[in-house]
Amino acid sequence: MGKLYGLIGHPIAHSMSPMMHNGEFKELGLSHHYQAFDLSPEQLEDGVEAMKMLDIQGFNVTIPHKVAIIPLLDEVEQEALDIGAVNTVYKQDGKYIGTNTDGKGYLLSLLTLLQENDLENKKVLVIGAGGAARAVAVSIARAGVLSLSLANRTLEKAENLSSVCNSYTSANAITLQEAEAELHHFDVVINTTSIGMSPHLDRMPLSVERLNEGTVVSDLIYNPLETKWLKLSKQKGAVTDNGISMFVEQGALAFEKWTGITPDRQRMRNAVLKELGGYSC
Ligand code: NAP
């Protein structure tokens, strides 16, 4: 018998998650269904109760509920507590448990870009200190790197994130100007800000002037598929990746947590690319 999964957020009409998960259920011959529920902040508490009454087996959580849901759950995993946000809830022994697959999803996508699996030797720069940055930075810190620098317009937020990451690895907070001047020192540079996202296609988080050839550069943005920042980084000889990999991985990890089945990530990726740009790879 099919099980019910879902997504809560506000607004959620634009979300590609229902298409991605329902498509994969269908491909695997499963009669499960993934339903998006648009809940305003005022409706969150009652909405989560309703999800429990529906015996929903797992759900994703998106903006603006990723933080507010924490006290409404039976348990929250330590990594999600460090990040300060839950993006996935699963049911285990009758309890609703919060986890965060955004950071782990990013980490898995990053590992595929490294020539050798040697994250522990890398100097990493994360640009931004918002919600996505917290997930990415905490997961990278927990995995262990040589150093982790966090650069943000509002330095205080980078300092706060750095103090969480320092429990796991050597982390520090720097200004955007310092990041730009020191860009050649980093092996991996990640833009987690919304700078360069459509329709502001001409904007970049930093100048790539000092970027070294061979640096791994990624951008969490996937609209457009190639931001100006990624395009210019590639022209400087960087190894680049957009935000599709993280989006697919975070979804695949949630899918695995809920069903115990490994989905076909390439098929999920193709479905997302088709939705975004009308082509597959
Ligand atoms: P958020 O919490 O609002 O954080 C935004 C970040 O961008 C902050 O660090 C903010 O700096 C910085 N920023 C925004 N405008 C800026 C500007 N004009 N100049 C300098 N810094 C600026 O947003 P979020 O949830 O982290 O999302 C950030 C991006 O990641 C979005 O583009 C989102 O689509 C993408 N994302 C992708 C995935 C994926 O699966 N690929 C997942 C999640 C998010 P301040 O702190 O100074 O305001």
Side-chain angles (χ1 to χ4, degrees):
M1 169 141 156
K3 293 178 179 166
L4 184 60
Y5 299 91
L7 164 71
I8 59 171
H10 184 70
I12 32 109
H14 64 283
S15 173
M16 291 186 292
S17 294
M19 177 276 301
M20 184 169 77
H21 286 286
N22 284 325
E24 199 55 19
F25 287 150
K26 194 172 170 196
E27 291 282 357
L28 291 168
L30 301 166
S31 54
H32 303 332
H33 182 68
Y34 183 101
Q35 178 69 42
F37 298 94
D38 193 330
L39 293 180
S40 68
E42 298 74 37
Q43 293 171 315
L44 179 65
E45 201 167 336
D46 288 345
V48 170
E49 275 312 302
M51 307 283 279
K52 291 178 182 176
M53 281 167 69
L54 283 170
D55 195 30
I56 201 152
Q57 297 298 302
F59 55 99
N60 286 129
V61 184
T62 189
I63 290 169
H65 304 316
K66 287 185 176 189
V67 178
I69 192 150
I70 290 177
L72 305 177
L73 298 171
D74 299 313
E75 282 174 27
V76 176
E77 291 181 2
Q78 186 57 48
E79 185 164 347
L81 289 173
D82 286 340
I83 292 168
V86 161
N87 84 320
T88 300
V89 177
Y90 60 97
K91 193 176 179 190
Q92 194 174 67
D93 302 328
K95 288 181 178 171
Y96 283 90
I97 303 172
T99 185
N100 194 308
T101 64
D102 280 334
K104 281 187 217 112
Y106 178 76
L107 188 62
L108 289 174
S109 68
L110 174 61
L111 290 175
T112 66
L113 297 177
L114 301 180
Q115 296 228 319
E116 288 154 38
N117 204 345
D118 59 345
L119 195 62
E120 69 278 9
N121 298 324
K122 301 297 184 200
K123 293 181 186 161
V124 178
L125 168 66
V126 172
I127 309 164
R134 289 192 70 88
V136 165
V138 166
S139 294
I140 286 176
R142 286 172 67 101
V145 285
L146 195 57
S147 69
L148 176 60
S149 298
L150 306 160
N152 195 43
R153 175 177 62 180
T154 312
L155 189 59
E156 200 185 343
K157 279 167 69 181
E159 286 168 347
N160 176 293
L161 182 53
S162 157
S163 68
V164 177
C165 294
N166 251 318
S167 314
Y168 301 105
T169 200
S170 167
N172 68 321
I174 58 175
T175 64
L176 291 173
Q177 292 71 25
E178 285 167 335
E180 202 166 72
E182 299 295 315
L183 207 53
H184 54 296
H185 288 312
F186 297 103
D187 305 302
V188 177
V189 182
I190 308 153
N191 175 38
T192 73
T193 74
S194 46
I195 306 169
M197 194 163 78
S198 183
H200 304 294
L201 302 176
D202 263 354
R203 299 196 187 152
M204 300 215 300
L206 295 181
S207 156
V208 294
E209 200 181 319
R210 310 207 70 187
L211 192 70
N212 274 344
E213 196 180 328
T215 306
V216 170
V217 175
S218 63
D219 200 324
L220 266 50
I221 294 170
Y222 48 76
N223 180 18
L225 290 171
E226 188 175 57
T227 55
K228 184 177 178 186
W229 152 261
L230 276 193
K231 190 176 176 184
L232 294 189
S233 297
K234 196 190 272 176
Q235 283 171 9
K236 294 275 290 185
V239 176
T240 60
D241 194 21
N242 64 21
I244 299 280
S245 309
M246 173 177 171
F247 179 74
V248 169
E249 274 299 338
Q250 63 76 31
L253 290 171
F255 192 103
E256 279 166 8
K257 196 88 193 163
W258 296 331
T259 63
I261 296 168
T262 304
D264 183 330
R265 285 162 160 84
Q266 187 59 47
R267 192 162 58 201
M268 291 166 83
R269 185 182 180 89
N270 287 345
V272 170
L273 283 170
K274 193 170 166 205
E275 183 90 356
L276 281 173
Y279 71 93
S280 63
C281 65

